[in-house]
Amino acid sequence: MKVLVIGSGGREHAIVWKLAQSPSVRKIYAAPGNPGIWDLAAPVTVDHNNIAALADFAAAEGIDLTVVGPEIYLALGLVDEFARRGLLVFGPTKAAAVIEAEKAFAKDFMARHHIPTADYAVFSDYERARDHLRAHGAPVVVKASGLAGGKGAFVCQSLDQAEEALADLMVRRVFGEAGEKVVIEEYLTGEEASLLVLTDGERAWPFPLAQDHKRAYDGDEGPNTGGMGAYAPAGVLPPVEIDRVMETIVYPTLKGLAAEGRPYRGVLYVGLMIAPSGPKVVEYNCRFGDPEAQAVLPLLVTDFASLCLAAAAGRRPADPPVFSGQSAVCVVLAAGGYPGDYRKGDVIHGLDVATHLSEVLVFHAGTALRGGEVVTAGGRVLNVVGLGPEFTVARERAYAAVSRIEFAGMHYRRDIAWREMRRRMLS
Ligand code: AMP
Ligand code: GLY
């Protein structure tokens, strides 16, 4: 079959790399892709921001399956537009993607379906929201209801901070329309984990539990980022607890969405807080996590393209997903300055050597080609994944590969998977 993958980051490189292993995949196209992806997929020249143009391309080229990376395409209704033309897409419709695109919807939905999550209130009026904050006090979490590129949630330890965040969203409108409605939430304590499940709308299969590292610096210090690394499987929930999350969170979510006329297909990402009282949903995403995908996809043994095709068509897959039992540790190499204004155009050295190390994968996230050289072009530049039968081995392989790569301004966390290391030391 012919497959089209939409997006241009490390997540999409991991998706393309995995699809390329499927015997049934004859050709992969990327819209727009990146230099790492183009080693495996043909770049599509149509404007990747134009959904109708993408659908025209898919129809003309006879694309059998489209896989979407970023949420924005799903929130804008790419799946609906493709479906109108009889084209299969692995991903949810616009109606189902609201689970990520509108946090106020997600919270009310969880309340309706008794899905455990932080207590909350929703406001469209600034004064009312401010009065609520003052009555509630800190710590508290203030969130833009709409899509804000992962930057719309403010965890506030003081009332001043919370009022500032609220004014940013509702008065200064730093995220425009996305902040017209806000969700004010109870602050939860605990360890976070990302449960990604593959679903045809009725049945769901979990990927190994992953853990992201959102802060820029070691020890979870510094500003929030898109994610500085991930690993899987994360031992914060034992398998029996994951089964419970499937029963108390994942299936009620899928059933609730279907019952409300929003059947969900694709990957559902459930961001969990493992609170003292049990797992609670922090957020839903309507797509693979980045960088979680880079950690979990290498662990998949089953033919990925067949799984995506079956889920997209709402069919039970011939073979349910099976995982290797290995561990994966993904380290993000970031550009100087990231997550603030960052450097661009620095030549990346050592890519060839690192890419050829055994049990190591190097996914491109923010790179570009300049006169035959690979240069930095995004905040998160490369994702280096180490694999191994044991965590410690996977981690050593990842960092050994990282040590071969160099570009001006490069920075990365040296403590990816530290919670897992500590857990293992204590157990
Ligand atoms: P979100 O955009 O909803 O995923 O939130 C981004 C990050 O903010 C999460 O990954 C958590 O680290 C943190 N966060 C969100 N909601 C809460 C909450 N209710 N309590 C504590 N931390 C939270
Ligand atoms: N890693 C967090 C996300 O993809 O939203």
Side-chain angles (χ1 to χ4, degrees):
M1 64 175 138
K2 286 184 180 177
V3 186
L4 168 64
V5 176
I6 296 177
S8 63
R11 166 182 53 200
E12 289 75 24
H13 192 179
I15 289 171
V16 166
W17 168 82
K18 196 69 210 176
L19 286 169
Q21 295 173 357
S22 294
S24 57
V25 171
R26 201 155 46 81
K27 180 146 192 189
I28 307 178
Y29 293 90
N34 66 36
I37 291 174
W38 299 328
D39 283 341
L40 302 165
V44 169
T45 47
V46 303
D47 176 9
H48 64 272
N49 291 314
N50 182 336
I51 288 175
L54 288 170
D56 288 342
F57 168 82
E61 203 57 45
I63 299 291
D64 300 288
L65 173 71
T66 298
V67 181
V68 182
E71 62 276 11
I72 186 69
Y73 296 95
L74 302 163
L76 290 174
L78 180 140
V79 174
D80 310 65
E81 175 65 24
F82 275 52
R84 267 195 290 280
R85 306 187 189 201
L87 296 162
L88 266 186
V89 188
F90 178 72
T93 59
K94 182 175 181 172
V98 291
I99 200 85
E100 169 168 4
E102 292 177 34
K103 283 188 194 291
F105 171 88
K107 295 297 285 191
D108 291 341
F109 171 85
M110 286 187 267
R112 283 198 292 281
H113 297 279
H114 311 289
I115 294 166
T117 187
D119 288 340
Y120 75 103
V122 175
F123 297 93
S124 304
D125 178 86
Y126 170 66
E127 266 95 34
R128 285 207 184 160
R130 197 191 48 198
D131 291 348
H132 175 85
L133 271 183
R134 288 179 181 167
H136 183 288
V140 67
V141 183
V142 179
K143 296 181 180 180
S145 180
L147 286 180
K151 299 194 178 104
F154 300 86
V155 178
C156 307
Q157 297 301 336
S158 72
L159 188 57
D160 278 353
Q161 270 178 354
E163 288 200 31
E164 197 60 25
L166 187 69
D168 274 348
L169 294 178
M170 299 193 91
V171 181
R172 293 185 279 275
R173 295 173 56 92
V174 295
F175 297 117
E177 263 179 36
E180 275 175 5
K181 218 184 244 184
V182 298
V183 177
I184 297 180
E185 268 184 35
E186 164 201 15
Y187 170 77
L188 298 173
T189 55
E191 195 171 324
E192 283 181 76
S194 309
L195 184 65
L196 280 62
V197 305
L198 195 131
T199 178
D200 62 2
E202 270 177 52
R203 293 151 295 232
W205 295 270
F207 280 90
L209 190 68
Q211 199 164 55
D212 190 4
H213 298 62
K214 291 218 161 88
R215 301 295 202 96
Y217 311 129
D218 286 1
D220 291 332
E221 302 275 348
N224 262 316
T225 70
M228 293 298 287
Y231 67 94
V236 54
L237 282 182
V240 35
E241 292 290 329
I242 294 176
D243 290 347
R244 262 241 293 268
V245 170
M246 294 297 289
E247 274 162 37
T248 56
I249 293 176
V250 173
Y251 280 110
T253 302
L254 297 175
K255 282 200 182 108
L257 284 169
E260 295 187 11
R262 304 170 187 273
Y264 190 103
R265 290 178 188 168
V267 167
L268 177 68
Y269 168 133
V270 185
L272 295 168
M273 183 71 83
I274 316 304
S277 58
K280 293 189 175 184
V281 177
V282 173
E283 63 164 345
Y284 292 111
N285 291 322
C286 62
R287 34 102 191 146
F288 277 107
D290 187 342
E292 287 94 331
Q294 294 88 309
V296 300
L297 282 174
L299 306 179
L300 178 66
V301 174
T302 320
D303 185 315
F304 183 45
S306 308
L307 288 172
C308 294
L309 193 66
R315 273 194 282 107
R316 182 186 283 275
D319 299 300
V322 170
F323 297 91
S324 67
Q326 281 191 307
S327 295
V329 174
C330 169
V331 180
V332 171
L333 304 186
Y338 178 80
D341 283 341
Y342 53 81
R343 298 170 60 111
K344 280 184 190 170
D346 292 306
V347 176
I348 304 172
H349 301 281
L351 256 183
D352 259 2
V353 179
T355 306
H356 288 102
L357 294 173
S358 109
E359 299 294 291
V360 166
L361 297 161
V362 180
F363 295 122
H364 290 226
T367 65
L369 291 175
R370 193 180 61 200
E373 283 182 314
V374 181
V375 300
T376 65
R380 293 189 288 176
V381 177
L382 295 168
N383 309 143
V384 181
V385 181
L387 300 169
E390 262 297 316
F391 248 96
T392 41
V393 179
R395 196 166 184 265
E396 274 163 24
R397 284 183 175 143
Y399 280 109
V402 167
S403 75
R404 313 299 287 267
I405 300 174
E406 206 188 307
F407 54 85
M410 169 172 126
H411 70 99
Y412 60 90
R413 281 183 58 163
R414 288 167 169 75
D415 66 346
I416 299 304
W418 70 270
R419 286 197 169 81
E420 197 62 27
M421 305 299 279
R422 187 184 59 181
R423 211 176 343 268
R424 276 155 195 254
M425 242 162 60
L426 296 177
S427 70

